[in-house]
Amino acid sequence: MATPVGWSQGGSGSVCLAFDQLRDVIESQEELIHQLRNVMILQDENFVSKEEFQAVEKKLVEEKAAHAKTKVLLAKEEEKLQFALGEIEVLSKQLEKEKLAFEKALSSVKSRALQESSKKDQLITKCNEIESHIIKQEDILNGKENEIKELQQVISQQKEIFRNHMSDFRIQKQQENYMAQVLDKKHKKASGTRQARSRQRPREK
């Protein structure tokens, strides 16, 4: 007799073993009953004593009773076996359901992990771009600062030159003012002298 479909060795292995043993007992009992029947047929054909016949008949009755008892035990074991198989089927379905739920949860976790990894890569790329932009801006600012410093130096030089020019201009202006005053005095003096001479000429006449 083959192992029932869906049966696996495990916690219910003892049930399966008892079932196999009962099956072997029934097969052996059936074989013995068949032999006893053959003996009875031979006894019908041949003459046997009453004692032998009664002994064989008693043994046949005992074997039938044992066979019936074994069938009852077999039915009980089959019932246990079917119950165990039913439990195994329920547990298998529950296990499959839990397996699917676990795979779904694992897939969700993997998907979330990939999304987070993608976000992290994007943030790293963005940070690198910002850092590169900041470095470029710092280089530009440093260049501007150098230009400002150079311009400040030029302005300082121009201021110094302007101060020198202003100083020279003041000196020149003072000199021009002085010369103008001298010339003005000379002019006034010369004009006064001419007037005095013109006044004296009529008197002489």
Side-chain angles (χ1 to χ4, degrees), residues 154-170:
V154 172
I155 291 171
S156 297
Q157 291 174 358
Q158 289 178 348
K159 283 182 178 180
E160 186 66 27
I161 293 171
F162 180 75
R163 288 193 193 98
N164 295 331
H165 286 172
M166 287 298 295
S167 179
D168 294 340
F169 178 75
R170 289 192 188 97

Side-chain angles (χ1 to χ4, degrees), residues 30-190:
E30 288 178 347
E31 179 66 23
L32 183 58
I33 290 171
H34 180 70
Q35 292 177 1
L36 290 173
R37 284 179 179 171
N38 290 334
V39 170
M40 291 178 67
I41 292 171
L42 290 174
Q43 287 178 348
D44 288 339
E45 295 176 356
N46 302 313
F47 177 78
V48 292
S49 64
K50 184 179 180 180
E51 290 78 8
E52 290 179 354
F53 176 77
Q54 289 177 346
V56 171
E57 188 178 24
K58 181 179 179 182
K59 191 171 183 180
L60 178 61
V61 171
E62 291 175 352
E63 289 296 334
K64 285 183 177 181
H67 182 64
K69 188 182 292 185
T70 303
K71 279 189 173 182
V72 172
L73 291 174
L74 178 62
K76 289 181 180 180
E77 294 299 329
E78 283 183 344
E79 185 178 355
K80 290 180 181 179
L81 177 62
Q82 292 301 322
F83 179 76
L85 290 174
E87 285 187 337
I88 290 173
E89 184 176 0
V90 171
L91 291 174
S92 296
K93 289 181 179 179
Q94 184 177 355
L95 180 62
E96 185 66 21
K97 186 177 179 181
E98 292 177 355
K99 180 182 177 182
L100 291 175
F102 173 77
E103 289 177 351
K104 185 177 179 180
L106 181 61
S107 177
S108 177
V109 170
K110 285 182 177 179
S111 177
R112 195 180 308 163
L114 288 174
Q115 291 177 358
E116 293 298 327
S117 178
S118 178
K119 287 181 180 179
K120 183 194 73 174
D121 293 339
Q122 290 177 358
L123 287 173
I124 290 173
T125 301
K126 191 171 183 179
C127 288
N128 290 334
E129 290 176 354
I130 292 173
E131 185 178 0
S132 177
H133 181 71
I134 290 172
I135 291 172
K136 289 180 180 178
Q137 290 295 324
E138 288 179 348
D139 291 339
I140 293 172
L141 290 174
N142 290 332
K144 295 292 184 182
E145 287 179 356
N146 292 330
E147 289 180 4
I148 290 171
K149 288 178 180 179
E150 290 176 358
L151 288 173
Q152 286 176 344
Q153 290 178 357
V154 172
I155 291 171
S156 297
Q157 291 174 358
Q158 289 178 348
K159 283 182 178 180
E160 186 66 27
I161 293 171
F162 180 75
R163 288 193 193 98
N164 295 331
H165 286 172
M166 287 298 295
S167 179
D168 294 340
F169 178 75
R170 289 192 188 97
I171 294 171
Q172 184 179 355
K173 193 69 176 174
Q174 289 176 355
Q175 290 176 350
E176 289 177 354
N177 290 335
Y178 177 77
M179 292 297 294
Q181 290 175 1
V182 170
L183 291 173
D184 186 58
K185 286 179 180 181
K186 286 182 178 182
H187 179 71
K188 286 180 179 180
K189 187 176 181 180

